[in-house]
Amino acid sequence: MLTSTVCAAVSAAGLAIAALTAYRKRFLAATRIAAYSLIPIGLVMTGVIDWVTNIVFKPTVWAGFGVLALSFVLFMITRRVERRRDLGGRKERKAAKAAGPDAVAPAASVPSLGAGREVERSAAGGKARQGKESAPKDDFSDIEAILKKHGI
């Protein structure tokens, strides 16, 4: 009841300001002010204000938010426990940790590009300088083709 009275007073004040603005022959601004001032009374008439005040001031609503938060926390705990189960038991985790990084993926510690460049250089033999000079041409050939296509 009090909220509807306050919203009606705010709307009346806004309409009064809109009337004064229209009196000064600023009709566009007056119309905009009138539109903003009708929003509070419109919200009261549709029942939105009562709905919001019922949410804010009822303890059962806040208890419901607490129950939802508890449900979320329990869900996250079960996900964490499930992930730990997928990793295995404590002994298996300790054994994997003690084995070091080579136990997981032995080839992963070697960069794949480093070995490829060494193979290219050894295959080229004495033509290492030509390989260095031709590499930028090969790298930029697709860029040159795109630029030529656009007439640049």
Side-chain angles (χ1 to χ4, degrees), residues 57-134:
F57 294 119
K58 281 190 176 179
T60 55
V61 173
W62 287 106
F65 283 127
V67 169
L68 287 175
L70 178 65
S71 171
F72 179 75
V73 168
L74 291 174
F75 178 70
M76 296 309 290
I77 288 172
T78 57
R79 283 189 69 186
R80 181 163 285 172
V81 168
E82 193 174 70
R83 283 186 185 169
R84 288 193 113 195
R85 242 186 232 165
D86 290 341
L87 292 176
R90 188 175 211 186
K91 291 179 183 178
E92 291 174 3
R93 284 195 307 267
K94 278 187 177 182
K97 195 174 188 178
D102 291 336
V104 178
S109 62
V110 178
S112 61
L113 292 178
R117 288 184 182 162
E118 292 297 323
V119 170
E120 284 179 16
R121 287 184 188 156
S122 64
K127 299 180 182 178
R129 289 188 177 228
Q130 286 181 349
K132 288 181 183 177
E133 291 174 2
S134 66

Side-chain angles (χ1 to χ4, degrees), residues 25-47:
K25 299 191 189 232
R26 297 180 60 204
F27 297 112
L28 186 62
T31 306
R32 190 174 294 124
I33 292 170
Y36 281 123
S37 65
L38 290 174
I39 291 173
I41 197 69
L43 290 174
V44 167
M45 293 173 89
T46 57

